[in-house]
Amino acid sequence: MIKKFMKKFRDLKIGTKIIVCYTIISVISIFFSTFIYQNINKKIMTQKVSEVALQTLQTIDSNIKLLIYTVNNESKILLSNKDIQKILKNGNKGFNYNNQLFVNRFLTEFIQSNMSISSVYIFDNYGNRYFVDKKKIKNFTLNNIKNSYWYDTLQKAAGGYIIKLNGGGVFNQPEKKYVSLIRVINDLDSQKPIGTMVINIPEDAIMNSFKDIMKTGDINILLKDENNNDIIHPKELEGHNIKSDISNEEHYYSIERINKKDYINSYLKNDLGWTIISILPFSELSNQSNIYKIVMIAILLLNGIMSFFGLILVSSNITKPIDKLIKSMKGVENGEFKEVNIDTGNDEIGKLKNVYNTMIYKIENLIEQIVKEQKIKRKAELDVLQSQIKPHFLYNSFDTISSLALDNRNDEVYKIIKALGNFYRTSLSNGKEVISIEEEIKTVKSYLTIQQIRYDNMFNVNISVDERANKYKILKLILQPLVENSIYHGIKPTRKKGNIFISTLIRGDFIELIVQDDGAGMTEEKLRSIKEFNGGGIGLSGTMERLNIFYNGKSKFEIESKLGEGTKVTIYIPLNQEENYDK
């Protein structure tokens, strides 16, 4: 996908490229500018709101503390009442209806004068209970208090109060929540414990202490005790994943996303160990910054549009002279090297025109020289290689004949001389450099006849010919050097009988000529040297060079070899090479 896009982009005109690049850069710039602005603005607004939320939470904390402070002071009225002191000290005398009636009447008057208190429960040291409750009566005893996890803390308070949710678990009413102020009642004279008092403040009273703060804005308050139990949890916050623990941090805030809507949560931990949490939709913040964001985007777009039109003007001034120059240069595509004649200034386009005209002049001269030199060089190189092959083979053939003559093997001498005559009759071909594949195969067979006699049938030959390929002409004497290599460098070093395979085949647009042996093979280093035309000699390397020169690099030459397994040489000759036969 990216490669296709880049290919199309490279094919565009320069002016279009400039506009496309600028547009992409502008879009990316606007995107990142907006993104950075939003994040910075969000961070600043979040910080500001966090500071405001902290002040709000501190105000709520103060109001809650004031409520508890007031209830605490009211409780001291009960503690200091002499009649109640006397009744509690005489609790060992058992239940007394009159005492019960007196305390209940006193407590009723007490809670009616204080709307923040819903109930008061008093126990003497003997388990007698005195209470008044505006709501549902809570069934718990002095033993329940003594068996609670916080009872030791209450004793250590030595008359001071502790605050617990729903009596610290002594009573529990799921439909209602109470903040219980619990304290030990001491004898005013001896300061020894004579009873225990539980004063319950309802959830409504706590909410009323800060309801005025919640009238402004879409803010919700959540209140948790020191054990992370909910004291106040509005229904609006159902489904919110409120952090349950803020460690030892006094103040903390976080961003939470619920139903594709962001909320900023601010936390404050007070002296009671309670956590006060404010929940504010982030939309309340973003509304304040939307105007600034719109203005900033509008400015960016305006600058982008103005720059875009300016870019089109500049691009036009650059590309129009180039287009004129290109039209004048079109003749080069058709092989016409003509100088450009257009009106230009002395800018880069004008200098390009002058350089181009100078180049055209020099190219015309160079082409003429190169054509002449290449024709001469190509003919000379081919002649040199051909002259190397003929004496080389003739020397080897006479060496073989001499050896047979010394051994008085006259019949075989006759066969070799006849085969040698056939070889030269075909290979000379009246001075022609190309022969048919059929003639090339006959030449190789004559050569193999000579070598099989010389080496006493040291190898077998298997020739497979594609009849369709016989009529095609190729550069002569390209198979014989390969067969010679197979004998001398492949089979002979193994000192055992081997096999040579020769085949021709038409495959696609090429004729395949294959010479393969199962002889000694060669090392990777030697193979690499031959492929790089560094192997020397007139066998493989010479044949490769001759093919490369004759076919102008359009032929292919593949060598496969493994040490101890043999060598395979494949030549690919293009089917349509008639132009080479006339040169």
Side-chain angles (χ1 to χ4, degrees):
M1 185 68 181
I2 295 176
K3 290 183 178 179
K4 290 183 179 179
F5 173 78
M6 292 304 297
K7 185 178 183 302
K8 291 182 179 179
F9 179 77
R10 285 194 295 268
D11 294 338
L12 296 176
K13 294 183 177 180
I14 293 176
T16 306
K17 286 181 181 179
I18 294 173
I19 293 172
V20 169
C21 288
Y22 174 79
T23 302
I24 293 174
I25 292 171
S26 297
V27 170
I28 293 174
S29 176
I30 291 173
F31 173 79
F32 277 104
S33 297
T34 305
F35 177 78
I36 292 170
Y37 169 79
Q38 287 180 329
N39 279 273
I40 293 175
N41 182 66
K42 182 177 180 180
K43 186 175 182 179
I44 293 173
M45 293 300 297
T46 301
Q47 185 66 34
K48 289 182 178 179
V49 171
S50 176
E51 292 172 358
V52 173
L54 175 59
Q55 296 176 2
T56 302
L57 295 177
Q58 288 173 339
T59 302
I60 293 173
D61 183 38
S62 298
N63 289 358
I64 293 174
K65 287 179 180 178
L66 178 61
L67 173 63
I68 294 175
Y69 177 78
T70 302
V71 173
N72 177 48
N73 287 339
E74 293 293 333
S75 70
K76 291 178 181 178
I77 297 174
L78 298 176
L79 297 177
S80 60
N81 185 277
K82 293 182 179 180
D83 293 325
I84 293 178
Q85 285 268 324
K86 183 178 178 181
I87 292 172
L88 293 177
K89 284 190 285 187
N90 295 325
N92 59 338
K93 296 180 180 180
F95 176 78
N96 185 298
Y97 178 77
N98 291 329
N99 290 343
Q100 185 75 41
L101 187 62
F102 171 80
V103 174
N104 287 356
R105 186 183 301 115
F106 187 85
L107 294 178
T108 300
E109 293 175 357
F110 175 77
I111 64 173
Q112 286 179 349
S113 63
N114 194 328
M115 301 303 296
S116 299
I117 299 175
S118 65
S119 61
V120 178
Y121 288 80
I122 298 175
F123 295 88
D124 60 23
N125 291 340
Y126 304 100
N128 297 310
R129 184 173 73 165
Y130 309 89
F131 68 94
V132 172
D133 200 327
K134 293 179 181 179
K135 308 292 183 179
K136 185 178 179 181
I137 297 175
K138 300 162 186 59
N139 295 318
F140 67 103
T141 65
L142 180 61
N143 287 332
N144 295 133
I145 294 175
K146 289 182 177 182
N147 294 328
S148 65
Y149 70 92
W150 46 262
Y151 185 70
D152 290 340
T153 304
L154 178 65
Q155 295 298 312
K156 291 177 182 179
Y161 67 86
I162 62 173
I163 301 295
K164 296 294 177 183
L165 178 64
N166 288 335
V170 173
F171 54 87
N172 186 20
Q173 291 178 309
E175 70 281 3
K176 290 290 183 180
K177 293 186 178 67
Y178 301 90
V179 173
S180 301
L181 185 148
I182 309 171
R183 68 190 314 157
V184 172
I185 304 174
N186 292 326
D187 187 343
L188 295 177
D189 297 325
S190 65
Q191 290 301 309
K192 292 181 178 181
I194 58 174
T196 304
M197 177 189 298
V198 180
I199 299 178
N200 296 311
I201 306 170
E203 179 183 0
D204 297 341
I206 297 173
M207 292 186 65
N208 289 336
S209 68
F210 54 80
K211 65 179 180 180
D212 293 337
I213 299 174
M214 298 176 62
K215 288 181 179 179
T216 57
D218 189 14
I219 187 172
N220 285 290
I221 300 298
L222 176 66
L223 187 61
K224 291 177 174 287
D225 69 3
E226 71 279 7
N227 296 320
N228 199 41
N229 297 313
D230 288 338
I231 299 174
I232 296 175
H233 194 122
K235 294 181 179 179
E236 294 83 355
L237 299 182
E238 295 295 334
H240 283 243
N241 184 23
I242 308 299
K243 288 176 67 70
S244 60
D245 184 15
I246 61 170
S247 302
N248 296 321
E249 297 182 46
E250 182 181 352
H251 178 236
Y252 176 86
Y253 70 89
S254 64
I255 304 294
E256 177 190 5
R257 188 169 185 82
I258 300 175
N259 297 328
K260 299 181 180 179
K261 191 174 181 181
D262 290 331
Y263 292 84
I264 178 168
N265 302 342
S266 296
Y267 302 80
L268 177 69
K269 183 169 286 189
N270 64 10
D271 298 337
L272 298 173
W274 293 0
T275 303
I276 309 171
I277 307 169
S278 66
I279 315 296
L280 179 66
F282 213 88
S283 57
E284 294 289 324
L285 310 180
S286 58
N287 290 336
Q288 302 176 24
S289 60
N290 280 341
I291 296 176
Y292 299 104
K293 182 165 63 178
I294 292 171
V295 170
M296 188 200 74
I297 294 175
I299 292 173
L300 288 173
L301 289 175
L302 180 62
N303 288 337
I305 293 171
M306 293 176 64
S307 299
F308 181 77
F309 283 108
L311 187 66
I312 292 176
L313 180 62
V314 173
S315 174
S316 176
N317 290 331
I318 294 173
T319 55
K320 281 185 178 180
I322 294 177
D323 289 337
K324 292 180 181 179
L325 189 61
I326 291 173
K327 289 178 182 178
S328 300
M329 295 177 177
K330 282 291 185 180
V332 176
E333 295 179 356
N334 301 322
E336 299 177 2
F337 294 91
K338 294 182 179 180
E339 294 183 357
V340 173
N341 187 17
I342 59 173
D343 293 330
T344 59
N346 196 28
D347 57 5
E348 287 82 356
I349 304 299
K351 292 178 180 179
L352 179 62
K353 181 194 74 172
N354 295 333
V355 171
Y356 175 78
N357 288 339
T358 303
M359 180 185 68
I360 289 296
Y361 174 75
K362 292 184 177 181
I363 286 175
E364 288 177 338
N365 292 333
L366 285 172
I367 288 175
E368 292 179 4
Q369 295 177 14
I370 290 171
V371 169
K372 293 178 182 178
E373 291 175 359
Q374 287 299 318
K375 286 182 179 179
I376 296 171
K377 182 179 178 181
R378 186 167 171 270
K379 177 63 176 165
E381 289 175 341
L382 196 56
D383 289 344
V384 170
L385 287 170
Q386 293 280 33
S387 65
Q388 286 179 327
I389 292 173
K390 295 172 185 176
H392 174 78
F393 173 67
L394 186 60
Y395 169 81
N396 288 337
S397 298
F398 278 122
D399 181 62
T400 302
I401 293 172
S402 299
S403 298
L404 292 173
L406 290 174
D407 292 340
N408 294 317
R409 295 161 65 179
N410 296 327
D411 290 341
E412 292 174 336
V413 169
Y414 170 76
K415 289 180 181 180
I416 291 177
I417 293 174
K418 187 175 180 180
L420 185 63
N422 292 333
F423 174 82
Y424 270 97
R425 186 180 302 109
T426 305
S427 62
L428 290 174
S429 305
N430 297 322
K432 293 187 295 183
E433 297 297 332
V434 294
I435 60 175
S436 67
I437 292 179
E438 183 177 13
E439 291 174 317
E440 179 73 5
I441 293 297
K442 287 181 180 179
T443 303
V444 171
K445 287 180 178 179
S446 297
Y447 173 78
L448 287 170
T449 298
I450 296 170
Q451 296 294 55
Q452 282 182 316
I453 294 173
R454 171 67 181 86
Y455 291 107
D456 196 20
N457 293 319
M458 184 178 65
F459 55 87
N460 294 323
V461 179
N462 187 341
I463 299 177
S464 174
V465 176
D466 187 342
E467 297 295 335
R468 297 174 301 165
N470 284 341
K471 64 180 181 178
Y472 287 95
K473 292 184 178 182
I474 59 173
L475 180 65
K476 65 182 179 181
L477 293 178
I478 60 174
L479 290 179
Q480 182 273 329
L482 305 182
V483 173
E484 183 178 348
N485 270 359
S486 293
I487 296 172
Y488 283 96
H489 303 294
I491 295 174
K492 189 176 179 181
T494 63
R495 300 180 181 275
K496 60 181 180 180
K497 193 168 185 177
N499 297 283
I500 296 175
F501 307 92
I502 301 171
S503 66
T504 65
L505 177 67
I506 293 179
R507 191 189 301 273
D509 296 330
F510 291 88
I511 300 172
E512 290 185 7
L513 305 175
I514 301 173
V515 176
Q516 183 176 359
D517 66 74
D518 57 0
M522 65 183 79
T523 63
E524 292 184 3
E525 183 179 355
K526 178 65 176 176
L527 180 62
R528 184 166 54 253
S529 177
I530 292 175
K531 288 181 177 180
E532 295 174 355
F533 290 91
N534 296 323
I538 57 174
L540 289 176
S541 300
T543 303
M544 290 168 63
E545 191 171 354
R546 289 178 60 218
L547 289 169
N548 188 55
I549 292 173
F550 188 80
Y551 291 105
N552 294 320
K554 295 180 180 179
S555 63
K556 299 178 183 179
F557 201 100
E558 290 184 358
I559 307 174
E560 303 173 45
S561 182
K562 288 187 178 180
L563 194 63
E565 296 183 13
T567 302
K568 178 182 178 182
V569 179
T570 305
I571 300 172
Y572 299 90
I573 304 295
L575 286 175
N576 300 319
Q577 286 294 312
E578 288 81 2
E579 68 274 10
N580 289 289
Y581 309 150
D582 301 328
K583 295 180 183 178

